[in-house]
Amino acid sequence: MMKKFLVSFYFLFPATISIILVLLTPIPSAQLTPTESGILLQVQKLLEYPEALQPWNNFTTNFCFLPPSSSLKILCSNGHVTELTIIGNRGSSLSHHHQDQEAPTLSERFSIHDLLVLLSRLSNLKALSLVSLGLWGHLPSEINRFGSIKSMNLSSNFIYGKIPSSISSMRTLKSLVLAHNLLNGTIPDLTMLSSLQELDLGFNGFGPEFPSLSKNIVKIILRNNSFTSQIPSELIKFQRLQQFDISNNGIFGTIPLFLFSLPSLQYLNLASNQLSGSLSLNTSCGSVLTFVDVSYNLLTGNLPSCFTSKSSNRTIMYSRNCVSAMRLSDQYPASYCEGVMEALTAKSPGRSRKEESEIHLGLVLGVLGVATGVAGLVALLILFILKKNKAKSAEKDIIDNKSAADKFHINLYPGPKIVARCATERMSLAALGLPPYCNFTSDEIGDATNNFRQSNLIGEGAQGQLYKGKLVDGSMVLVNRLRVKQKSLNSNSMQNLKKVLPNLRHRNLVSVLGHCFITCQDHPQTRSTIFIVFEHIPNLSSLRDHLTDRIRRETLKWPQRMAISIGIARGIQFLHTGVTPGIYGNNLRIENILLDNSLNPKVSGYSIPLPSKKGVDRRQNQQCVPSVSGSNEEKEDIFQLGVILIQIITGKLITSSGELEELKDELERGLSEAASSTPRLTVDPSLRGIFVYESVKTALQITINCLSKVTINRPSIEDVLWNLQYSMQVQEARSSSGNSPRL
């Protein structure tokens, strides 16, 4: 009997086990509907098959049961996608370095409009994160089609232009993160978004006015933008605000004292602005306020007692102001802040004379009205005379024998047609705060430079003479004058130059504002003249000056040096990939890196493909493709960037190739020793104790790679930029937590 039972069990065992496994297997109750599965497969195609989505298959992929990872997460409910997170490696700000980097943006076929409209068809979608995927283009007005969205994160991409006003109708939105893009302009009124708790728009070009927000907001991050307004008094109503970061802008005026005592505020960062005035000794700080940074402003007087109290567990940073403090070594004298304020007031008189301007506005408008009427009559008379003498004037003066396109007119700055791999439009739109590009007349150029008076001459080199000048509107400019033989010009070279020049406008370049070509087509032996007009900001100092001046050098702490390095790399990246064809061989030197009052770097003296320049015809025929790794001019720029970086990190100026090799060897030994012993890195002594070891190590390693003697081993500019950004992120993240070793 037992034998029969065992035989029966032997044959029934597999079936029994199968039944048990079936009963224990969860039923896929959240199986995605065919429509939404199709949408995700279309998203895979629109995003050009990023690494995280490559395993997706039309027949076998069960989207709702994919295991979540660091780059992909999909949550479903009742057959609908409720959360979608995709993280790639094409971002403008990455936290990890990848050896096999793709082109920074998606191809010219990509449409952010089509992508977002498609995703809006996921009717139950509550959370959407598309990070570092190389997205580019304008945010579409149809963004409000996400009817039930609560969280949207499109950070670390290349989205440009303004935020559409339709976003203010997304009433369910709780979190909006658009950081590390190329967005600009005024932020729409968001007061109707009563559910909005988090707004992160850092590292863009928004401004100048502070945005209007709902009083229910919890987290506001607007750092590294272009806001130039005062801190609004309406913030006193923001009783739920926990984190407020407006650092690295142009915010001016006094700090409202209520800001420190907001009941929920824990983190307050007002650093690197133009805030002035003194803080009352009786200023109270909220009980939950744990971090305050007001450094790099123009504050005076004594610090509030709640800043200096030893009993509180509160971090207060206030260096580089003019306050009376125990650490006077990191403060400027009061006269310094007063002098800067006077300069700012002179530069922007509207701030201090607003009421006076309003009083006289009616009178000015009246005078202008009368003047306009008279000017109109005079203009009609002049036009009549000009028409009558047009033919004679053309024959008499060869200098005025220019094409119609060279006559003076002002155009709204047109973004060129987007070519994603060269990032033309998205990068050009990063040129914020510049006037429209102009085609100047020879008379205007002459007036600006006092007819090229010798006292206006700044220098002379291979690309002509450089003069300082002043336009009719009072703005200061630099004028590059180059004379070339007419026979050396051809229509292709001139047309290419006209296409390139308007695009050389970027936050980290001394940008081009306009040009004037005087050509003599009927006289090929006559020299023609090319004028290129650059922006000129008086009192800019070079990075070299900052490193050699003791007081200014102390302002360059590690975060500031990393921000400067990132800005320089962005300027070079723009020259390499932001215009067509790319511009290489830029003679990058530390004295050609200029710093404005906010320590924003601008690359000057870069190469422009002028017709007389050797090799220009070759570059004009290049296609808009990434440069090959053996490109000598590209890699020479990387080497020169490495020379600048090594001086930023060590504080030692390089005057010879021998000094460079010695310093490089010293850094390599330091990195090698640090891998097996206590970290000891060769950095500027003034930085001791204020930087995170991992941050410096990353910056040093990419710098050494830039200085490789083997050209092909030098990294691309994208590699450099991403490593510097990673270094910056490590510094910010670990220094704020206080858990990282510092040197």
Side-chain angles (χ1 to χ4, degrees):
M1 190 71 179
M2 177 63 70
K3 185 177 181 180
K4 289 182 179 180
F5 172 77
L6 291 174
V7 171
S8 300
F9 183 78
Y10 175 79
F11 287 105
L12 291 174
F13 180 75
T16 304
I17 294 299
S18 299
I19 293 172
I20 293 173
L21 290 175
V22 169
L23 292 174
L24 292 177
T25 302
I27 300 174
S29 59
Q31 178 66 44
L32 204 58
T33 64
T35 298
E36 297 205 356
S37 294
I39 289 174
L40 291 181
L41 290 171
Q42 290 181 63
V43 168
Q44 178 194 35
K45 182 177 180 180
L46 286 174
L47 292 177
E48 300 176 8
Y49 302 92
E51 183 179 350
L53 310 189
Q54 287 179 5
W56 288 6
N57 185 282
N58 191 27
F59 302 102
T60 61
T61 303
N62 189 339
F63 294 102
C64 294
F65 288 96
L66 291 174
S69 68
S70 60
S71 57
L72 178 65
K73 181 180 179 183
I74 301 177
L75 296 182
C76 304
S77 177
N78 298 322
H80 296 282
V81 177
T82 57
E83 181 176 340
L84 175 62
T85 297
I86 307 172
I87 300 175
N89 61 354
R90 294 175 178 262
S92 59
S93 176
L94 296 176
S95 59
H96 298 283
H97 172 61
H98 299 269
Q99 294 297 325
D100 300 324
Q101 297 292 359
E102 300 180 69
T105 65
L106 298 176
S107 71
E108 62 267 26
R109 298 186 302 275
F110 172 74
S111 168
I112 193 171
H113 175 276
D114 293 349
L115 175 66
L116 294 181
V117 169
L118 175 66
L119 286 168
S120 69
R121 292 171 56 193
L122 299 174
S123 56
N124 285 39
L125 190 64
K126 301 293 190 298
L128 174 65
S129 293
L130 304 175
V131 179
S132 298
L133 292 170
L135 311 183
W136 59 267
H138 293 273
L139 288 174
S141 59
E142 293 88 346
I143 196 170
N144 62 353
R145 291 186 182 180
F146 289 91
S148 57
I149 198 81
K150 292 183 178 180
S151 173
M152 179 175 286
N153 183 351
L154 304 179
S155 61
S156 296
N157 286 292
F158 301 93
I159 304 169
Y160 54 78
K162 298 182 178 181
I163 297 179
S165 58
S166 57
I167 204 167
S168 59
S169 63
M170 299 172 66
R171 303 298 174 83
T172 60
L173 199 61
K174 289 186 176 181
S175 174
L176 179 62
V177 180
L178 300 174
H180 290 279
N181 277 287
L182 299 170
L183 294 159
N184 59 64
T186 303
I187 299 172
D189 189 337
L190 303 180
T191 52
M192 298 304 293
L193 301 185
S194 56
S195 299
L196 189 64
Q197 297 181 12
E198 177 185 19
L199 180 68
D200 186 352
L201 304 179
F203 294 92
N204 279 284
F206 291 113
E209 296 299 323
F210 197 88
S212 298
L213 304 170
S214 165
K215 63 181 180 180
N216 296 324
I217 200 160
V218 174
K219 183 177 181 180
I220 302 174
I221 299 179
L222 302 174
R223 62 179 177 175
N224 289 82
N225 275 280
S226 300
F227 294 104
T228 55
S229 58
Q230 299 188 45
I231 299 175
S233 58
E234 289 77 9
L235 287 179
I236 196 173
K237 302 176 183 177
F238 288 37
Q239 301 293 296
R240 300 177 60 187
L241 186 62
Q242 297 178 11
Q243 183 173 347
F244 187 55
D245 187 345
I246 56 172
S247 58
N248 287 283
N249 280 282
I251 305 295
F252 68 94
T254 58
I255 303 176
L257 298 184
F258 68 77
L259 204 56
F260 301 104
S261 58
L262 288 175
S264 303
L265 192 63
Q266 303 172 16
Y267 180 98
L268 177 63
N269 193 341
L270 309 177
S272 299
N273 281 289
Q274 297 173 8
L275 295 165
S276 58
S278 59
L279 301 176
S280 172
L281 289 172
N282 298 324
T283 300
S284 61
C285 297
S287 59
V288 297
L289 186 62
T290 57
F291 179 87
V292 177
D293 189 352
V294 294
S295 56
Y296 295 93
N297 279 288
L298 301 169
L299 301 176
T300 57
N302 296 311
L303 292 172
S305 56
C306 67
F307 277 26
T308 57
S309 174
K310 296 182 179 179
S311 60
S312 64
N313 186 23
R314 184 177 297 127
T315 300
I316 305 293
M317 302 177 69
Y318 54 85
S319 62
R320 297 307 158 195
N321 281 281
C322 300
V323 299
S324 301
M326 294 180 63
R327 303 195 308 267
L328 290 177
S329 60
D330 64 0
Q331 298 295 316
Y332 293 111
S335 58
Y336 171 82
C337 290
E338 292 171 0
V340 174
M341 281 303 301
E342 289 179 4
L344 291 174
T345 303
K347 184 177 179 181
S348 302
R351 289 183 181 177
S352 60
R353 300 188 179 95
K354 183 177 179 182
E355 294 181 359
E356 181 182 349
S357 297
E358 291 175 350
I359 293 173
H360 294 288
L361 180 60
L363 177 60
V364 171
L365 289 176
V367 172
L368 286 176
V370 174
T372 301
V374 174
L377 293 174
V378 173
L380 289 174
L381 180 60
I382 292 174
L383 283 174
F384 175 76
I385 296 172
L386 287 176
K387 280 186 177 181
K388 194 172 182 180
N389 296 319
K390 182 178 180 181
K392 293 182 179 179
S393 297
E395 294 174 1
K396 285 177 64 177
D397 197 347
I398 292 177
I399 294 297
D400 289 332
N401 185 13
K402 301 189 291 291
S403 64
D406 293 320
K407 298 297 182 182
F408 175 69
H409 65 276
I410 296 178
N411 296 317
L412 290 177
Y413 175 51
K417 183 178 180 181
I418 183 76
V419 181
R421 293 188 185 275
C422 285
T424 308
E425 181 171 342
R426 62 172 174 78
M427 297 300 286
S428 296
L429 289 171
L432 304 173
L434 293 173
Y437 190 86
C438 294
N439 294 332
F440 292 99
T441 65
S442 57
D443 289 340
E444 287 166 327
I445 296 295
D447 291 342
T449 59
N450 289 325
N451 292 319
F452 303 99
R453 186 174 297 173
Q454 188 67 23
S455 59
N456 287 57
L457 180 64
I458 295 178
E460 187 170 3
Q463 291 197 321
Q465 300 165 311
L466 190 65
Y467 291 83
K468 63 182 178 181
K470 186 175 183 180
L471 300 179
V472 176
D473 63 2
S475 57
M476 302 299 296
V477 295
L478 295 174
V479 179
N480 188 180
R481 180 173 70 173
L482 177 69
R483 289 194 175 100
V484 294
K485 285 187 176 181
Q486 178 64 35
K487 65 179 182 180
S488 67
L489 299 176
N490 58 66
S491 58
N492 287 336
S493 64
M494 296 299 288
Q495 288 303 318
N496 279 317
L497 186 57
K498 288 180 180 180
K499 289 179 181 178
V500 170
L501 290 177
N503 296 332
L504 295 176
R505 298 155 70 82
H506 189 273
R507 174 182 174 87
N508 299 117
L509 292 183
V510 174
S511 299
V512 178
L513 303 182
H515 73 266
C516 173
F517 297 159
I518 300 179
T519 59
C520 306
Q521 298 176 0
D522 296 335
H523 300 270
Q525 299 303 319
T526 305
R527 286 185 175 271
S528 298
T529 307
I530 297 173
F531 300 102
I532 301 176
V533 181
F534 294 89
E535 67 170 324
H536 176 50
I537 306 173
N539 302 321
L540 281 186
S541 57
S542 71
L543 177 56
R544 180 187 179 91
D545 292 338
H546 270 74
L547 291 177
T548 54
D549 182 90
R550 183 182 61 83
I551 295 179
R552 287 192 289 189
R553 179 175 175 175
E554 290 180 355
T555 67
L556 300 181
K557 300 305 182 185
W558 183 247
Q560 283 71 39
R561 297 193 192 202
M562 277 296 93
I564 291 170
S565 301
I566 290 170
I568 298 169
R570 283 176 175 161
I572 298 169
Q573 182 193 39
F574 175 78
L575 291 171
H576 286 188
T577 65
V579 293
T580 308
I583 297 177
Y584 308 101
N586 289 292
N587 190 29
L588 302 168
R589 297 182 297 175
I590 195 168
E591 53 264 32
N592 287 345
I593 307 301
L594 305 181
L595 302 179
D596 63 19
N597 291 331
S598 300
L599 298 181
N600 175 62
K602 287 180 175 288
V603 179
S604 68
Y606 53 88
S607 177
I608 291 181
L610 296 171
S612 63
K613 186 172 179 180
K614 185 177 180 180
V616 68
D617 292 335
R618 175 181 59 79
R619 285 202 300 274
Q620 287 168 350
N621 294 326
Q622 287 179 341
Q623 299 298 314
C624 182
V625 294
S627 300
V628 296
S629 58
S631 171
N632 289 332
E633 288 183 323
E634 177 193 9
K635 296 304 184 179
E636 184 61 24
D637 280 354
I638 298 300
F639 183 86
Q640 292 171 355
L641 173 58
V643 176
I644 294 173
L645 292 177
I646 201 172
Q647 295 175 90
I648 292 175
I649 295 170
T650 65
K652 299 178 180 179
L653 297 181
I654 304 296
T655 59
S656 67
S657 58
E659 288 183 1
L660 177 62
E661 284 302 315
E662 290 180 7
L663 191 53
K664 179 188 172 186
D665 291 342
E666 187 177 353
L667 293 177
E668 288 178 328
R669 286 195 302 270
L671 284 174
S672 177
E673 294 169 359
S676 57
S677 61
T678 304
R680 293 177 62 86
L681 300 177
T682 303
V683 296
D684 191 334
S686 66
L687 297 175
R688 296 293 183 187
I690 61 169
F691 60 76
V692 176
Y693 166 70
E694 184 66 25
S695 173
V696 176
K697 178 183 176 182
T698 302
L700 281 174
Q701 187 60 64
I702 194 64
T703 299
I704 291 172
N705 292 347
C706 291
L707 297 172
S708 173
K709 293 181 179 179
V710 182
T711 302
I712 198 171
N713 290 341
R714 296 171 193 165
S716 68
I717 188 60
E718 286 79 16
D719 290 334
V720 178
L721 181 56
W722 285 331
N723 275 271
L724 293 176
Q725 289 174 330
Y726 177 53
S727 173
M728 184 68 150
Q729 290 173 353
V730 169
Q731 176 71 26
E732 290 179 343
R734 298 187 183 177
S735 61
S736 62
S737 67
N739 296 324
S740 176
R742 298 188 177 197
L743 300 183

